[in-house]
């Protein structure tokens, strides 16, 4: 099993970042119904104002190859397009568990 964890730091006002983070998280959380390789996915908005990252996602798939399937799936590409224009930074870790 592989965990794919991604954090995004967004550009813009606090209101804009919160709006985009919520929209992105909702789109990510809808993906298990659309992408067969996803065992689970969870995305949420950072609620800690002392931290600088805005939104996180954790996806679980069976193999590293499934991470690629997930990443290239049209439903994931559409969700990523929500955050793309507003992205200041991105951090990602993939690991087998």
């Amino acid at each position: 099993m592989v965990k794919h964890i991604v954090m995004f730091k967004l550009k813009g006002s606090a209101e804009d970042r919160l709006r985009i983070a919520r929209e992105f998280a909702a789109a990510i959380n809808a993906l298990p119904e659309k992408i067969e390789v996803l065992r689970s996915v969870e995305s949420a908005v950072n609620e800690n104002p002392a931290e600088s990252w805005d939104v996180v996602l954790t996806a679980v798939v069976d193999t590293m190859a499934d991470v690629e399937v997930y990443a290239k799936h049209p439903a994931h590409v559409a969700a990523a397009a929500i955050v793309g224009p507003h992205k200041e930074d991105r951090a990602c870790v993939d690991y087998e568990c």
Side-chain angles (χ1 to χ4, degrees):
M1 196 167 34
V2 175
K3 284 195 179 180
H4 171 72
I5 301 171
V6 184
M7 296 186 306
F8 293 95
K9 190 180 298 185
L10 305 176
K11 300 182 278 192
S13 70
E15 282 182 355
D16 288 342
R17 291 190 338 266
L18 180 59
R19 178 181 53 81
I20 295 300
R22 285 180 176 163
E23 184 180 346
F24 174 72
I28 291 293
N29 288 331
L31 292 180
E33 299 171 6
K34 301 172 184 175
I35 303 176
E36 190 172 306
V37 298
L38 279 175
R39 283 181 166 228
S40 67
V41 70
E42 180 180 24
S43 184
V45 176
N46 185 5
E47 296 180 19
N48 184 347
E51 298 297 335
S52 61
W53 295 91
D54 294 292
V55 62
V56 64
L57 75 86
T58 302
V60 179
V61 296
D62 288 329
T63 67
M64 287 300 293
D66 288 338
V67 174
E68 280 295 311
V69 171
Y70 159 75
K72 293 178 180 179
H73 191 282
H76 174 264
V77 171
I82 294 167
V83 78
H86 308 280
K87 179 175 61 176
E88 180 178 315
D89 203 357
R90 176 185 180 273
C92 178
V93 174
D94 295 316
Y95 65 93
E96 292 189 19
C97 52

